[in-house]
Amino acid sequence: VKNSVIKLTPPLLSDDHIDQKISCIRPHRERIFNISREHKDGKTIFHNYGHGGAGWTFLFGCVNESMRQFQAAGIDKNKKICVVGAGCYGLLTAIELARAGYSVRIVAKETQNISSDKAAGFFFPRWRKSSSALEITEFTRLGLESYATYLDIIKGTHPFMKTGAQLLPAYYHPEIDPGFAPYIKHGLMSLPQETTIDFSNGKQYSALQYTTVFIHTNQSMALLKELRHSLGIGLDLQEISSFDDVEESIIFNCAGFGAKTLVPDARMIPVQGHLITLRNQPIESLQYMINTRETGIYTRNNLIYFAPKGQGVLGITFLRNQSDIHANTHEFERLLMRCRDFFGT
Ligand SMILES: Cc1cc2nc3c(=O)[nH]c(=O)nc-3n(C[C@H](O)[C@H](O)[C@H](O)COP(=O)(O)OP(=O)(O)OC[C@H]3O[C@@H](n4cnc5c(N)ncnc54)[C@H](O)[C@@H]3O)c2cc1C
């Protein structure tokens, strides 16, 4: 494909344009997320956690899969159900259950400023380096289902998600593999174009341009909360330390990283991420995504990304085994330095 030069407006990155410095913990699980059913001490627990840095990406496929396991279990319609967690997983699961005619409530430690709110909104369906061939098949199957659902939302044909996603150009470093090959093969995405992105300030880079889904995580969370409310799904603010703390015998475990304390799962690893939100941007000229890295030796700590969430968001770090959101504050300065260098602003 012929290489074309794409002129892009860069985000403004002087101190006046920096808003919040955000740290957050990804609910990473080695090899693959856990969607399964467990019987324990007279309770049936449907697990759906461990989606790491791609929880929004796999949301619809994974919640559908969990609902299929639930439907296959033939649970009586009169049984009361408790969903643990009010992130995108807990909310969507409770909404699906209520729409299927079940009586459901949510218990959650927190409902604000959780990972689901902080996520940037990339559709990034790459599996883990440690995933087995069978697990890669699962990532692909549920990722394709999710992507098709996001396309339905964009087309306006989804039964209840009327906003929350958009198609945008996404410029990837040629050596970063977002895992889009199956999406292209299934005709859901077009082949990437080789391009040169040019910020008209001397900064020019080779990139692969995809057109892909951008997830408006704020809009989606607001819509999910509204739907919970309109369906009359109760929410109790409570931190549980065991599934025995809730009276219902049917439980959905959508606790994100919190699942680690509820289930003995040695594969759950906290992965800290740093983001910087922007303000006072020419945001209508910034309708694109960037996912690249500083040149030099590839490590996961020299990544640069941009997405037009709100007035724009910059990322990102991946710090394994770090569950303290207050750790590594020096990463914000490093992130800002490499983004200023990359964008030339
Ligand atoms: C910096 C960063 C950037 C990201 N960017 C993207 C992206 O671009 N694209 C993408 O697809 N994904 C992204 N993600 C990943 C995504 O945010 C998560 O995978 C997703 O939000 C997980 O949703 P969840 O509902 O499982 O968990 P959460 O949103 O963490 O919600 C968990 C819920 O469970 C509750 N809970 C936990 N423990 C208990 C307990 N013991 N008792 C009661 N309640 C409990 C919490 O209070 C909360 O309500 C990003 C994550 C981070 C950290």
Side-chain angles (χ1 to χ4, degrees):
V1 190
K2 207 168 138 267
N3 190 329
S4 54
V5 177
I6 310 273
K7 296 257 184 204
L8 292 178
T9 303
L12 303 170
L13 301 185
S14 63
D15 288 349
D16 301 349
H17 297 281
I18 304 303
D19 194 14
Q20 289 178 334
K21 296 179 176 168
I22 295 178
S23 156
C24 151
I25 309 302
R26 297 178 185 84
H28 177 83
R29 186 167 183 265
E30 294 292 51
R31 302 203 331 251
I32 195 166
F33 34 74
N34 182 10
I35 310 176
S36 63
R37 181 177 68 168
E38 182 188 9
H39 295 288
K40 202 169 173 249
D41 305 328
K43 303 212 177 213
T44 305
I45 299 142
F46 294 89
H47 296 293
N48 194 358
Y49 65 85
H51 308 90
W56 280 100
T57 298
F58 290 103
L59 177 65
F60 292 99
C62 287
V63 169
N64 288 350
E65 183 67 9
S66 182
M67 286 298 291
R68 286 190 283 265
Q69 292 183 357
F70 170 76
Q71 301 289 3
I75 308 272
D76 194 282
K77 276 252 152 120
N78 300 320
K79 286 263 185 208
K80 289 196 162 45
I81 303 173
C82 179
V83 173
V84 182
C88 53
Y89 278 82
L91 289 169
L92 182 63
T93 302
I95 289 163
E96 292 287 7
L97 287 164
R99 285 174 54 87
Y102 289 88
S103 163
V104 54
R105 72 167 177 134
I106 297 176
V107 297
K109 183 171 111 187
E110 291 163 296
T111 60
Q112 315 268 347
N113 273 327
I114 54 181
S115 300
S116 295
D117 298 304
K118 293 178 182 174
F122 284 85
F123 187 90
F124 198 82
R126 205 172 56 192
W127 45 85
R128 324 244 193 271
K129 282 200 188 95
S130 57
S131 305
S132 68
L134 208 64
E135 287 158 351
I136 291 173
T137 310
E138 280 301 273
F139 274 107
T140 305
R141 180 171 71 90
L142 299 177
L144 287 168
E145 193 175 342
S146 242
Y147 197 77
T149 307
Y150 280 115
L151 294 180
D152 286 343
I153 295 172
I154 292 165
K155 281 183 276 178
T157 55
H158 190 275
F160 56 88
M161 294 297 290
K162 294 301 174 197
T163 64
Q166 182 184 355
L167 283 171
L168 283 183
Y171 301 95
Y172 277 80
H173 189 287
E175 284 167 24
I176 294 180
D177 175 12
F180 290 150
Y183 300 77
I184 295 167
K185 191 174 143 211
H186 282 80
L188 295 176
M189 225 183 259
S190 304
L191 277 167
Q193 308 259 352
E194 283 178 24
T195 57
T196 299
I197 53 175
D198 180 355
F199 292 119
S200 304
N201 57 8
K203 299 285 183 179
Q204 265 201 353
Y205 306 92
S206 298
L208 289 177
Q209 179 187 342
Y210 297 86
T211 299
T212 171
V213 164
F214 169 59
I215 308 157
H216 284 276
T217 55
N218 286 344
Q219 264 181 30
S220 300
M221 280 302 276
L223 180 56
L224 291 170
K225 287 176 184 183
E226 215 177 285
L227 288 163
R228 173 191 78 76
H229 201 256
S230 63
L231 287 163
I233 301 166
L235 191 155
D236 295 307
L237 275 180
Q238 181 194 355
E239 176 171 8
I240 63 164
S241 51
S242 125
F243 296 118
D244 289 333
D245 292 352
V246 299
E247 62 188 31
E248 292 87 345
S249 59
I250 312 294
I251 299 169
F252 279 78
N253 172 13
C254 301
F257 190 67
K260 191 175 173 63
T261 53
L262 297 171
V263 193
D265 187 339
R267 280 162 59 187
M268 283 300 286
I269 312 267
V271 180
Q272 188 191 18
H274 294 79
L275 294 169
I276 297 177
T277 62
L278 304 176
R279 63 183 178 198
N280 305 328
Q281 298 293 325
I283 195 67
E284 52 300 330
S285 311
L286 299 175
Q287 295 302 305
Y288 60 79
M289 295 179 273
I290 295 227
N291 200 325
T292 185
R293 60 178 175 83
E294 256 176 353
T295 43
I297 295 161
Y298 179 71
T299 78
R300 298 208 91 181
N301 285 334
N302 59 4
L303 299 173
I304 295 167
Y305 76 37
F306 170 81
K309 177 184 179 176
Q311 286 286 301
V313 62
L314 298 174
I316 187 70
T317 63
F318 283 84
L319 299 159
R320 278 174 72 90
N321 288 309
Q322 183 52 260
S323 59
D324 176 4
I325 58 163
H326 303 296
N328 302 310
T329 47
H330 63 277
E331 289 291 346
F332 291 118
E333 210 41 48
R334 286 194 57 215
L335 174 59
L336 201 50
M337 269 169 58
R338 64 181 182 267
C339 288
R340 281 177 172 154
D341 179 52
F342 177 81
F343 288 108
T345 51

